Amino acid sequence: MPPSSKSFSPLLDSCFTNLKRRISFEKVLETNKILIAALTESAKRPRPDDSELSADISPGLGKTGSSSLLLPPLSRADYPKVKFWTREEWDDHKSHLKDASGSKGKGPERPSSLRGVNTTAVYLENEDGTHISGATVGQMRAVARTVWIELSERGKAPSSWGKASLEARNLYHSELERRWSFLRLCENH
């Protein structure tokens, strides 16, 4: 005796529901693929504010050894309020913070960087020994990103910083140090 159409109804409803879910899921997957491709492509292009920064980048890369881009070193004697002139001084300071706080060298709890406080590059100091702001760190990242874009467009971008050529390193350092002179307030700059 054949089953009645009523007995197939729940089964058909379940099949249709599952089919709708599968189609919906496939649409989500396709949309995600499109978004990922768009984001990947967007990351390769300069941001609108990067283009104005890029115009300021020195054209010296690739023409000479770029050593002419480097600024002369500063003397520690001229900046007595700078506490961390060497890597060793910063390491000693971190060690002292670790001993005093019992933490892993991070020191006391820090305010949120959302309030413009520098929480990632606290070793960077102004001429008067004060820390630079979080907003300045953000601006430095934007310029660093622009330099990498410029290096990439010139075919000089390394796959990692350890593989950077002297020209690439000199351009990177000179562009940031030209804008923020406090980056020169240390040994070997």
Side-chain angles (χ1 to χ4, degrees), residues 13 17 39 57 92 172:
D13 287 344
T17 300
L39 285 171
I57 292 182
D92 287 346
Y172 183 86

Side-chain angles (χ1 to χ4, degrees), residues 6 9 19 50 58 69 77 80 91 101 124 144-145 148 153 158 164:
K6 285 188 175 189
S9 182
L19 183 60
D50 288 346
S58 305
L69 297 173
D91 289 343
S101 69
L124 294 175
R145 184 178 58 249
W148 279 104
E153 288 175 356

Side-chain angles (χ1 to χ4, degrees), residues 46-57 146 179:
R47 296 181 185 177
D49 57 343
D50 288 346
S51 60
E52 69 185 46
L53 291 172
S54 186
D56 290 339
I57 292 182
T146 303
R179 286 175 172 80

Side-chain angles (χ1 to χ4, degrees), residues 73-90 123 125-127 181-189:
L74 300 175
S75 171
R76 181 177 196 158
D78 295 332
Y79 303 94
K81 294 183 179 182
V82 174
K83 296 179 281 299
F84 311 122
W85 198 266
T86 66
R87 175 73 183 250
E88 292 78 23
E89 290 169 337
W90 171 246
Y123 50 86
E125 303 172 272
N126 290 305
E127 292 178 13
S181 60
F182 63 79
L183 290 173
R184 298 172 57 214
L185 298 173
C186 62
E187 187 176 63
N188 298 323
H189 277 272

Side-chain angles (χ1 to χ4, degrees), residues 19 24 29 34 39 47 64 68 76 80 82 111 132 136 157 176 186:
L19 183 60
S24 177
L29 284 176
I34 292 168
L39 285 171
R47 296 181 185 177
T64 68
S68 62
R76 181 177 196 158
V82 174
I132 63 166
T136 300
L176 272 73
C186 62

